Amino acid sequence: MPTSLNSPTPSLFDAVQRDGFCFVTADTMQPLLQSAGGLSDWTHFAESWNRLGPDPYLAAKGRFRRRRHATFTARANGTIELAPHQPHFQSLQYNALQGDIERWFEPIEPAMANGASLRTILTFCNGFFSSLAFGISQWHVEVHQFRIEANTGEAGEPTPEGSHRDGVDFVLVLLVDRHNIASGTTSIHAPDGKPLGDFTLTRPLDSALIHDPRVFHGVTAVTPLAAGEEAHRDVLVVTFRAKP
């Protein structure tokens, strides 16, 4: 059985089933996460974004962001296991910019991969997504730490591939921090391009839950509010894909 989750989860289920996505404010997400586990290492977890390595694949195309990556196996009965480090792969169908190549990124630091905050987030996702997909017993889970940096005269691009799908079943996008940036608005579109909604993740734990086969998503470029000061947007992206 999927991990049980407390109210207001039913309303989020309804939104994702109806619309293919929902925006969850930090005020709602925090108690939901705490019903799944603890966030005792959150401060250290958030600080780990200061130690992300560069994304060499984007740098080669004149763009820049930092990231780390880890893979897990989750079972609908609740068990979640860290898998051996492996590349991230998307087909050209889902990533026209960097598809059909194995992309190796620095692994998420072991203390973070096994820490309370990430395990709680994965437990929540496992329960929520498994409850939306009865019959799926096992998931391939990928976790991405992203830092998008912006400079004066050079905007940061959270989704340089544009509005897209990830080629998975479900996606969580969770804001960890944003500092000295403007914009970064998430937009959701139907496959025919019809706009379905937009929102901006502004507070730590603000989140988006997305049923990837049904909708496209993208994020507008971010720019510094104050010139000459560090500007970044830190997010955690978790994807769930059914394993055969």
Side-chain angles (χ1 to χ4, degrees):
M1 293 291 291
T3 304
S4 62
L5 298 167
N6 297 331
S7 181
T9 306
S11 64
L12 303 185
F13 287 152
D14 292 344
V16 175
Q17 288 177 323
R18 180 184 66 246
D19 303 323
F21 73 98
C22 67
F23 168 54
V24 189
T25 65
D27 289 340
T28 297
M29 181 58 78
Q30 183 169 344
L32 285 175
L33 291 175
Q34 289 175 328
S35 74
L39 298 171
S40 58
D41 68 341
W42 177 261
T43 298
H44 296 298
F45 184 57
E47 288 174 347
S48 73
W49 265 255
N50 295 325
R51 301 187 294 275
L52 303 189
D55 181 339
Y57 304 94
L58 272 186
K61 298 179 181 296
R63 298 179 173 90
F64 191 76
R65 67 183 172 195
R66 297 182 179 274
R67 67 191 295 178
R68 286 181 184 266
H69 172 253
T71 303
F72 294 79
T73 296
R75 295 174 178 81
N77 65 7
T79 62
I80 300 170
E81 298 174 356
L82 180 64
H85 191 53
Q86 56 196 268
H88 175 53
F89 181 87
Q90 291 174 295
S91 70
L92 282 170
Q93 176 185 358
Y94 295 107
N95 190 331
L97 188 64
Q98 298 176 313
D100 282 357
I101 59 174
E102 291 188 346
R103 287 182 285 163
W104 288 91
F105 303 106
E106 292 185 12
I108 293 177
E109 296 172 347
M112 301 301 105
N114 295 297
S117 292
L118 183 55
R119 290 302 176 134
T120 290
I121 292 165
L122 294 179
T123 297
F124 165 79
C125 288
N126 193 24
F128 188 86
F129 296 147
S130 294
S131 294
L132 284 167
F134 288 111
I136 304 301
S137 61
Q138 190 168 226
W139 299 97
H140 174 80
V141 180
E142 295 194 50
V143 177
H144 306 262
Q145 292 179 290
F146 287 105
R147 167 167 286 185
I148 306 301
E149 297 176 334
N151 301 299
T152 302
E154 185 179 6
E157 298 178 277
T159 54
E161 65 271 42
S163 184
H164 65 284
R165 291 182 296 163
D166 289 330
V168 297
D169 292 292
F170 296 100
V171 182
L172 165 77
V173 182
L174 182 144
L175 184 73
V176 173
D177 182 46
R178 56 184 287 154
H179 176 74
N180 188 37
I181 60 166
S183 194
T185 297
T186 299
S187 59
I188 308 292
H189 296 84
D192 64 3
K194 176 184 176 182
L196 300 177
D198 59 74
F199 46 85
T200 304
L201 308 180
T202 60
R203 298 169 57 198
L205 300 182
D206 278 357
S207 302
L209 295 163
I210 299 168
H211 188 200
D212 191 66
R214 290 178 54 193
V215 298
F216 285 67
H217 63 280
V219 183
T220 59
V222 296
T223 56
L225 289 169
E229 295 184 16
E230 180 188 357
H232 64 254
R233 178 181 186 263
D234 294 348
V235 297
L236 179 78
V237 175
V238 179
T239 66
F240 271 57
R241 175 170 54 83
K243 295 187 75 170

